[in-house]
Each structure stands twice: as C-alpha cells, then as structure tokens.
Amino acid sequence: MKSIIFRTVAPFLTGLMMLFSIFVLLRGHNEPGGGFIGGLIAVSALAIYGIAHGVVTVRRAIYFHPMAIAGAGLFAATVAGLVSLFARVPFMTGLWIYPSVLGVEVPLSTVMLFDTGVYLVVVGAISSIALSLEEGGGA
Amino acid sequence: MDAAALTFLALGLPFAAALIAPALTRFLGGNAAWLLALAPFAIFVHFAGFVPEVAAGEIVTGGYAWIPSFNVSFSWLIDGLSLTFALLISGIGTLIVLYSGGYLKGHPDQGRFFSFILMFMGSMQGLVVSDSFLMLFVFWELTSITSFLLIGFDHRREAARRAALQALVVTGGGGLALLAGLIIIWNVSGVTQFSLLLTFGDELKESPFYLAALLLVLGGAFTKSAQFPFHFWLPNAMEAPTPVSAYLHSATMVKAGVYLLMRLNPVLGGTTEWQVLLPLFGVTTLIAGAALAVRQTDLKMMLAYTTMSSLGLLVMLTGLGLPYAIEAAVLYLVAHALFKGALFMVAGIIDHETGTRDLTKLGGLRTAMPLTFVIALTAALSMGGLPPFFGFLAKEEIYTALSGFDRRSMVFAALTILGNGLMFAVGFAIALKPFLGPKVDTPKPPHEAPVLLWLGPAILAAKGLSMALMSGFVHRYVTSPMASAVAGEPRSATISLVPHFGVALLLSVATLAVGVVLFLNLARLRAAMVAVLADIGWGPDRGFDQFMRGLVRFAVTATRRLQGGRLDTYMTMTFVLVAAVMLALPLRYGEFPRAPFFPADVPLHEFAIMAIAALGLFAVVMAADRLTAIVSLGIQGFAVAMLFLLYGAPDLAFTQFMIETLSVVVLALVMTRLRLSPSDHRPLRQKLPDFTIALACGAGFGLFLLRVTGVPFDSTLTDFFNLYSKSIAHGANVVNVIIVDFRGTDTLGEIAVVLVAGLSILSLVRLRAGSLKRGELTEIAAADASSKELV
C-alpha cells in the first residue's frame, strides 16, 4: 500500500487493536465479547499491518508460525477441559479459583483458559490463511 | 493382589512383552525366545490355577467398568470353554515363541516378529475370555489385524502382501458382520455380557430377529474359521513364516469362529436353522478341504487344507445337535490343536533344514533327522485317529455321535468317513513320505534340528499320547467342563482308550480302510484332482481378485463423477440442492408461511438501514468489476449487523462486523491469486442459470425463515440459561457462557475444525504455489487467454 498516512498509522492502529482484542477477550464472560470475537479483532489488526507493511513484517512481528499459535490454542483449550478430570468431576467442568494479587481478588478459571484457547485458534488459523494468500499473491 | 487384578495383568502381559521384544532380541538374538516365552508360560500357569474351580462347575467372572453409561465393561468369563481355549493359546503360545527363536534365528526382523506374535497372543487370549460383547469384538478385530501383520511379515514379497490383505479383508469384513449380529443380540436381550446372556434360555431363539442375528454371527464365524466358500484366505496365509501357520492358522485363530459358535450354542443353537446351516457348511468344508489337500505337494499347503477340513468337521459337530456331538467337537478341537501344531512345526523343521518343503523333492530323511521323524509319526498317528493317541478318542466320539440309523446320521457318517479318510491319507503322506524311501538330494544337506526347533513339536506330540493315556483325568478337568459350557447343561465325556465294540468302532475301521486305500493311490488321486480343478478354472481366490478390482473401479468411477474437481460444479450442485430442498419440501407438505405481518410504526433509522442493505445488494449485482462486488457485499453485511445491534444481540453484531471485514479482506486476497479477469464478461445467456439458482436459493431461505419465526418462540432454553448463567457458570454474558462453558465441548470440536480447515487451506495454497513454480504459470495464462477469446 502506497499511502504514507496509512503506512504511518498502521502500526499504532494494530497495537491498539491488539490491546482491544485482549480487552474484549477478558471481559467476554460478563459483557459482550469473548475469545472468538477477540480473535477476529486480532486477525483484523494483523491484516491491517500486513496490508500496510507486507507479510514478511507481520510474520516477524508475531514471531511464531500462525499455525503454531493455533495449535497452542487448541492445546490450551483441551487442557482446560482435562483439568476437571483431576478434580474428579466430568470433562469440561468449569473450575474457579480466586487468588489475591496485590490485594485485589482476581477470578481465574479453566473457562478463561478455554476462551484464551479459542482466541489463539482463531488468530492462528485465520491469519495463517490470510498471510499465505497475501504472500506471493501477485498483489 | 487379588485374583481379578492378576487376571487383568495376565491379559495385558503379552502386550507388555511385545513392547520389549524388539529391544530384547537386539541384545540376545534368537535366545531372547527363552525369556519371552516366560510371558505366555506365566499366563498358562495363572489360568491353570482356575482348573479345579471350573471343574467343580463354577464360572469365574470379573472385570472393570469401561463405559458405564452404555453398560459396557472390560470383563472376563472363565468357564470350561474359555479356560480350555486359554490354556491351549498360552500353552502352545509358549512353545511357538521358543520355536520362533530357532526358526527365525538371525533374521534381521526377528524382534519385530516376536512383537507381532505376542500381540496376537494377547488378542487371542482376550478374545476367548471376553465376557462383554464389545470387548470380544475389539479383540476379534485385533486378531485380524495382528494376523495381517504376521502374514505380511515378509512384506517385500508381493504374494505375502496380497495374502495379508486378503486375510484382513475377509476376516475383518466378517468381524463387522459379527458386530452387527452382537448388536442385534444386545437389542433383543438387553444385556451386553455373555455370562448374563447364557442365563436367558430360549428368548433369543423366539425373537423375530433370530435369523438375522444368526446369519450375521455365522458371517463372522465362517470367515474367521475358513468355511467354504470363505476358505481361500487360509491356504494363502501360508505365505507367513511357519510358526505363524502353526499357531494362528491351525491351533488358535482359525478356531475363533468355532469358539464363537460354541459360546453361543446354548442361546442360538438347537433350532432348525442352526442344525441345517452349520452341518451343511461344515461338511462341505470338510470334503472340499480334504479334496484340495490331496492336490497339493507343498507340505504347508497340504496341512493348510486339512486344517480347513478339520474346521469344517468342528463346525459340523457343533451344529449337528446329536447326542455326543458336542463332546466329540470338544475332544477333536483339543486333539487337532496338538497334532496340527506339531505337524506344522515339523513341516517348518523340514523346510528349515533341507531348504525345500515340496513333497516330491524329499525322501529318506529318517537317518539324518530321526527325532523329527518320530515327532511327525506320533502326530500323524493322532491325526489318523489311531490308538493310543488322543486323536483316537476324538474320532471314536465323533463316530459315536454319528452312529444313529436315521438318514441324516448315515449321510453325515458317510461323508465324515470320506473326509477323515482323505485327511488320514494326507497326514501320513506328510509324516512318511519325506522320511522313508531312498535319499533324495535337497537344496541344503539335511541334519537334525536344534533344540529350540524340536522342543515345541515334541511336547505337543507327547501331549497327544499322554492325554490319551490319562483320559480320565483329562475328561474330568478339561473336556467335561468344556462340553458342559458348550452344551449349556452338565455333560461328561467318558471315552477312553479301551475299545468298546459297536457301530462307532466299525465306522473307525471303515475310515482306516478308506484312508489306507487313498494313501496308496495318492499320486493317482492327485493327478485326478489337478485335472478336475483345471477344468473348473475359476475359484473363490480368483473371485476375490475380481471383487477387489471391481471395488476399486467402482470407487474410481464414483469419485470421478462426484468429485470432478471443478469448483463451479460443486457450488452449482450445492446451491441447486439447497434451493430444491427449501422450495420442494414446503410445496410437498403445504407448509408455506403466512403473509408476514408488517408493524405500522417502523422507525425511520431501521428503514434507513434496510435501504442500505438493499442498496449494497443492488451494487453487488450492478458492479462493473469483481472487487467492487465483494466490497458491496460487505455493505449489506454491515447493515444486517446493525440490525442485530438494534435488536439486542451485541455479541452477534460484533462478530458479524468482524466476519464481514475479514471476508472482504480474504476474498480480495483470493481474487488477486486467482488471476481472474477483473470483471465477469459472460453474456447474459450464460449468467441466467446462475441468476436463477441464486434467486431460488434466496427465496427458499426467505420462506424458510419466515416460517420458522412464525412459530411461537419456545423460551425454555433462554430461561434456563438466563437463570443459571450467573449462578452456576459465574458469567453474566449468556452467549459467551454458552460457548465456553455450557456447550464447551461443542466449541472444542469447532475450534479443532477451524484449525484443520486452516491447515488444509494452507496446504492448498502451498500446493498451488508449488505447481505454479513448476512452470504451469504459462499454461494457466494460456488457458486464461483462450477463455477470454471465447468471451
């Protein structure tokens, strides 16, 4: 993309969108949002970066192969399901703990790990498709 | 440790031994056999401990819950029947492992071989002690799979590969029939365990599904036990190394079918169908096997066909329904395992030490291999049913069962005499011909076999003698409990070596006479059989090839028709079908929606949004080039998302926005890769069909949605989730809670699908890129140019 304005703004936009996607992921349990939507926002962020600065830059920026990210996501989601087996309750039962971090009670759960897995799978799988299509696409 | 845990360990032990076998063989070579044989021997000792209990009429069951919700368990049933089988499998298994140590000494893959044969042993062991149907089926198919591995052990030879595949297709296919049969039995009786089923009595026989269940079970049993016309895989399986032939294809696996029939005899047997089908197939197999055995000159092939014959005899006896028939089947089964195992191993020794197993190229080995000769002779005497061997007892009992004077008994007696006479002739041909007569030059100078090779057959042959001498003991602890289990009522075998004059002995003498006459004329008989078979030409073995070729051809044709590889064909087919279903079904059942109700006061902004959506669609249709069309489609999507937002579905709207954005991006990217011309240049005539399909699809979906929303909304689920989302799942956002918690397992499946779809698209894109690099670029450009010319 030739536009100098777009090229200048893109990194900031991408950063903000990534941050926003994580915000959406985390608040998803109580407000509109969640792993799926968050993941889609993150992919859009990467797409913008890719259109502005090319695939190579994006690949360098995310460091891992997108499929590896997706794989890690599926693994995390599966583990989140398996944890409950160790607590002797059926597969995929949500488990919650409320540790206190710096005096603030932080609710953590296997459900959240699961949603993070969903987020990573969506980010990885879709960005991998988009990036491979962009690569050498003649565009 | 309690007995149940020990039995569980015994069932797992062969698999554990299989795991360490390759490493052990790398260190110890063939001598690893001495250590590995401890596994089956330990199992033998463990099961032998059940003998007094079972002889006293008890049935030992035990196990663990497997899938409690389906009433499926991992459980075993040890009665006279399964115990005898378990002892045969582990006992002969011990000897076979030792024998394999000598037979494959120095073979580069000997470790793998040990591993396979131990795995087979574990599967077979599991099969015969299974109490639950599903466990039986799993082990049944495992024996097919391990048999496939063993037959194809010498995988570099085409013949071995073909034989392995053939055995797998035939016995594995039969296993599926068996599964269907067991499911029917399950449905009719409501139980999943044999121990419970056996208490049912006649309920199964009176069910309208009896015949279906019977035929399916027979499909499994007959393929496994090589009954005519499914016998052809058994002789071909002789491609396997000899220990395999001795173990799987005579002593154990092929008897799994007979085992199943015996196991189900109390609940399925005794009916007219049973007493017609089993003896009919059995006696046909008996005669066909014996006749085909005569034709062969290869020692192993001769033995294979007599095995088929013996299996026929066993099936016949199991189904006959005459007094003493069950006892006869039991005695013959044990006798056959002993003498046939020994004879196979002898054939292996001859092959191993002389380099050939062709009967016409062997002779005069008695001086070089005296011990082997004695073993062969002992086994053949038992096979011929001569005293004082165990085979004699079996044959006397068979003829006692057949000594009635009704027409049915007489016909079967005559056919059995013929079959046994032929087997007698073949058995002695194997035991005498290679050893007697003048010395013949063999590829390798013959010498006596090493201890690892002769130990197994020697013990089996000796057993054939000692068990006959101690017949009272054997009957009390082995045959009577087994016969009782098969019959489903107390039975006791009493036959002993003391001859009792009567019809049975007369029939025995007749068999002997027929056998001797046939033996003396074996060469002439063989020539005659060769001529007859040459005249027939076609056989089930060739039929199998034709069947497989037909199957492949059908698959290729069907795939070409259905998966032509053109995306536009797929899309057209899919959308035409969707439109057809959506429009034809309401038409057929008169289920069109009523005219929708338009509220009078639609606010202006909603009208505006709908106008934007319509405008977007109009732009799609009117767009001059494809890129504009794609972006315009996005407009429509955004408008719909706005509607979602207005009607209180922020999550849905949110997702829709993102999806629309991304699909425009991805579609645009795909467009750049496809190298299409920027716009659609087809004339209206060619666009019209697509236009019609699109319209029909849209109309169909519209009608469908109107109809669905016309039905009063059932709020049960909504209420449930609203009620419990916060209290159980600690989340206020119901949509998200459903996705990640209430229906989390669904989501797990879905993200797995997303991942796999991503992977496959990635590989498709890579594949395309690869082929482009290989110079197809010009080809595509040329095709593109020609398509433009057409336009």
Side-chain angles (χ1 to χ4, degrees):
Chain A
M1 190 73 69
K2 294 278 158 60
S3 156
I4 186 82
I5 301 173
F6 185 57
R7 283 172 65 99
T8 315
V9 168
F12 299 101
L13 202 56
T14 303
L16 276 175
M17 283 175 78
M18 287 305 265
L19 206 60
F20 184 60
S21 76
I22 293 168
F23 166 69
V24 167
L25 158 71
L26 291 181
R27 77 171 203 155
H29 214 56
N30 291 307
E31 310 281 334
F36 190 67
I37 303 172
L40 289 175
I41 296 173
V43 176
S44 324
L46 292 178
I48 288 174
Y49 198 40
I51 292 167
H53 290 276
V55 181
V56 183
T57 327
V58 178
R59 282 203 193 279
R60 203 163 48 222
I62 59 175
Y63 188 75
F64 297 106
H65 190 280
M67 265 305 153
I69 296 176
L74 190 60
F75 182 73
T78 314
V79 167
L82 288 174
V83 167
S84 61
L85 290 186
F86 291 98
R88 302 213 160 241
V89 285
F91 179 66
M92 291 293 286
T93 309
L95 298 174
W96 293 73
I97 49 169
Y98 302 92
S100 173
V101 179
L102 302 174
V104 181
E105 188 182 78
V106 184
L108 290 177
S109 66
T110 56
V111 175
M112 201 176 88
L113 181 62
F114 184 81
D115 217 7
T116 313
V118 174
Y119 174 90
L120 290 177
V121 170
V122 172
V123 174
I126 300 182
S127 65
S128 134
I129 297 169
L131 289 176
S132 65
L133 281 173
E134 239 174 308
E135 231 161 19
Chain B
M1 200 180 284
D2 58 344
L6 271 179
T7 304
F8 186 71
L9 277 184
L11 289 177
L13 188 61
F15 296 101
L19 212 59
I20 60 162
L24 208 61
T25 311
R26 201 168 306 138
F27 288 119
L28 299 175
N31 286 325
W34 294 107
L35 275 177
L36 289 172
L38 288 177
F41 187 67
I43 298 168
F44 182 80
V45 170
H46 172 74
F47 280 111
F50 287 111
V51 167
E53 237 175 302
V54 170
E58 276 182 55
I59 294 175
V60 184
T61 55
Y64 301 95
W66 183 3
I67 314 170
S69 46
F70 283 109
N71 200 12
V72 172
S73 58
F74 186 93
S75 55
W76 50 85
L77 161 69
I78 299 168
D79 61 356
L81 173 61
S82 46
L83 186 60
T84 307
F85 263 97
L87 290 175
L88 281 176
I89 291 159
S90 53
I92 299 181
T94 311
L95 304 178
I96 288 288
V97 168
L98 293 177
Y99 183 80
S100 314
Y103 190 80
L104 287 171
K105 195 179 171 123
H107 191 287
D109 291 327
Q110 195 180 22
R112 193 155 52 108
F113 182 81
F114 278 133
S115 189
F116 288 166
I117 207 147
L118 285 164
M119 273 197 279
F120 165 77
M121 192 180 299
S123 318
M124 192 67 204
Q125 196 81 62
L127 195 165
V128 296
V129 300
S130 288
D131 190 13
S132 110
F133 296 169
L134 193 65
M135 186 175 148
L136 175 106
F137 170 74
V138 168
F139 280 119
W140 181 282
E141 294 294 46
L142 265 180
T143 60
S144 292
I145 292 166
T146 43
S147 147
F148 166 81
L149 293 173
L150 285 165
I151 298 171
F153 179 68
D154 194 0
H155 57 88
R156 284 182 192 84
R157 276 186 312 120
E158 155 107 54
R161 291 200 301 270
R162 174 178 178 267
L165 187 69
Q166 194 178 49
L168 185 69
V169 169
V170 175
T171 61
L176 293 180
L178 169 67
L179 178 65
L182 288 175
I183 289 175
I184 291 183
I185 295 178
W186 178 358
N187 271 320
V188 172
S189 68
V191 297
T192 58
Q193 278 159 313
F194 289 110
S195 52
L196 294 174
L197 186 69
L198 293 176
T199 61
F200 262 74
D202 286 346
E203 191 181 311
L204 218 55
K205 293 176 207 168
E206 283 149 16
S207 152
F209 297 106
Y210 170 74
L211 190 63
L214 177 67
L215 289 178
L216 287 167
V217 167
L218 290 188
F222 284 180
T223 47
K224 198 79 162 180
S225 281
Q227 297 297 296
F228 186 86
F230 306 112
H231 64 278
F232 51 90
W233 69 267
L234 181 60
N236 287 341
M238 294 303 123
E239 293 292 341
T242 307
V244 177
S245 314
Y247 192 41
L248 276 70
H249 304 123
S250 73
T252 60
M253 185 184 85
V254 286
K255 294 218 175 78
V258 177
Y259 166 79
L260 184 73
L261 296 176
M262 288 181 159
R263 171 58 76 213
L264 291 171
N265 180 47
V267 283
L268 289 182
T271 59
T272 317
E273 293 92 331
W274 179 273
Q275 291 183 355
V276 169
L277 286 173
L278 265 67
L280 197 66
F281 275 92
V283 85
T284 312
T285 311
L286 169 67
I287 301 295
L292 289 167
V294 168
R295 176 202 178 283
Q296 300 291 336
T297 57
D298 181 315
L299 289 177
K300 273 178 77 176
M301 289 306 255
M302 294 167 80
L303 284 170
Y305 279 111
T306 58
T307 303
M308 171 187 159
S309 234
S310 301
L311 292 168
L313 187 57
L314 284 170
V315 168
M316 180 191 105
L317 289 169
T318 308
L320 220 44
L322 294 171
Y324 300 110
I326 295 294
E327 288 88 333
V330 165
L331 283 166
Y332 190 72
L333 190 138
V334 175
H336 177 259
L338 298 176
F339 68 69
K340 195 54 73 62
L343 278 179
F344 257 115
M345 290 198 250
V346 164
I349 292 178
I350 295 175
D351 188 14
H352 198 262
E353 304 304 335
T354 66
T356 179
R357 49 171 205 251
D358 190 329
L359 204 59
T360 55
K361 291 179 189 151
L362 291 163
L365 291 174
R366 67 185 177 284
T367 46
M369 309 168 78
L371 191 59
T372 311
F373 179 45
V374 171
I375 295 169
L377 200 61
T378 316
L381 284 169
S382 188
M383 179 172 173
L386 292 171
F389 294 95
F390 202 66
F392 172 72
L393 298 186
K395 204 180 53 174
E396 286 303 285
E397 195 78 348
I398 294 172
Y399 287 130
T400 312
L402 289 171
S403 60
F405 285 101
D406 54 309
R407 195 153 38 134
R408 185 160 175 261
S409 299
M410 277 156 70
V411 169
F412 277 109
L415 288 170
T416 309
I417 290 176
L418 177 63
N420 273 340
L422 281 165
M423 277 203 274
F424 178 95
V426 174
F428 276 99
I430 293 165
L432 296 178
K433 176 84 194 353
F435 298 99
L436 300 181
K439 257 200 184 120
V440 179
D441 279 336
T442 50
K444 276 201 271 182
H447 51 81
E448 191 53 84
V451 57
L452 270 174
L453 282 183
W454 63 252
L455 188 64
I459 291 178
L460 288 185
K463 272 268 158 208
L465 179 62
S466 64
M467 281 175 71
L469 294 175
M470 301 190 298
S471 60
F473 177 81
V474 172
H475 287 326
R476 188 160 152 236
Y477 286 109
V478 180
T479 40
S480 296
M482 177 165 168
S484 307
V486 177
E489 61 192 24
R491 291 278 176 95
S492 63
T494 51
I495 192 104
S496 70
L497 282 175
V498 184
H500 31 274
F501 297 95
V503 186
L505 197 65
L506 205 68
L507 294 175
S508 246
V509 174
T511 308
L512 195 65
V514 171
V516 171
V517 170
L518 290 174
F519 176 71
L520 295 175
N521 295 300
L522 201 58
R524 219 168 303 154
L525 211 58
R526 179 177 302 137
M529 269 315 287
V530 170
V532 168
L533 286 175
D535 278 348
I536 299 175
W538 190 88
D541 191 33
R542 296 235 323 255
F544 174 81
D545 282 343
Q546 287 158 352
F547 170 76
M548 289 308 273
R549 267 201 303 278
L551 195 68
V552 170
R553 206 174 302 142
F554 170 75
V556 168
T557 318
T559 311
R560 284 225 177 100
R561 283 276 154 78
L562 298 174
Q563 307 261 317
R566 283 192 65 88
L567 188 61
D568 52 351
T569 321
Y570 295 163
M571 303 269 282
T572 311
M573 287 306 290
T574 311
F575 284 121
V576 164
L577 261 175
V578 167
V581 169
M582 292 285 185
L583 291 174
L585 285 184
L587 210 63
R588 167 77 179 72
Y589 295 103
E591 289 251 350
F592 281 108
R594 273 167 304 174
F597 160 76
F598 284 105
D601 52 341
V602 179
L604 187 63
H605 61 270
E606 286 183 19
F607 264 125
I609 291 167
M610 280 188 267
I612 291 172
L615 216 65
L617 287 180
F618 183 72
V620 172
V621 179
M622 286 291 127
D625 61 279
R626 294 176 207 262
L627 205 59
T628 318
I630 290 171
V631 175
S632 313
L633 202 60
I635 297 176
Q636 182 266 350
F638 267 79
V640 173
M642 285 297 287
L643 285 180
F644 287 152
L645 204 58
L646 288 176
Y647 281 86
D651 278 281
L652 198 54
F654 220 157
T655 313
Q656 174 90 356
F657 280 130
M658 296 323 302
I659 291 286
E660 286 300 334
T661 314
L662 283 173
S663 42
V664 167
V665 170
V666 170
L667 272 175
L669 286 174
V670 171
M671 285 291 299
T672 59
R673 289 190 67 100
L674 283 183
R675 292 159 209 280
L676 292 173
S677 56
S679 52
D680 189 356
H681 287 296
R682 290 178 302 169
L684 191 65
R685 175 169 47 81
Q686 281 178 21
K687 284 182 186 169
L688 213 56
D690 288 356
F691 180 72
T692 320
I693 294 169
L695 216 58
C697 240
F701 253 106
L703 288 174
F704 176 68
L705 282 177
L706 279 176
R707 179 81 185 117
V708 167
T709 48
V711 177
F713 181 67
D714 178 2
S715 65
T716 318
L717 282 176
T718 318
D719 294 342
F720 172 86
F721 287 126
N722 280 336
L723 191 62
Y724 292 114
S725 170
K726 188 74 194 169
S727 59
I728 296 183
H730 313 281
N733 179 4
V734 180
V735 177
N736 184 258
V737 169
I738 291 175
I739 291 175
V740 299
D741 201 330
F742 283 123
R743 308 197 54 184
T745 314
D746 277 11
T747 310
L748 188 62
E750 281 157 18
I751 58 176
V753 170
V754 169
L755 186 84
V756 171
L759 270 179
S760 29
I761 293 175
L762 193 62
S763 51
L764 272 179
V765 172
R766 290 247 171 100
L767 198 72
R768 188 97 185 118
S771 63
L772 282 178
K773 271 178 209 145
R774 281 199 298 274
E776 285 179 23
L777 201 65
T778 46
E779 226 171 278
I780 290 170
D784 220 47
S786 64
S787 67
K788 268 180 203 155
E789 271 173 27
L790 272 174
V791 176

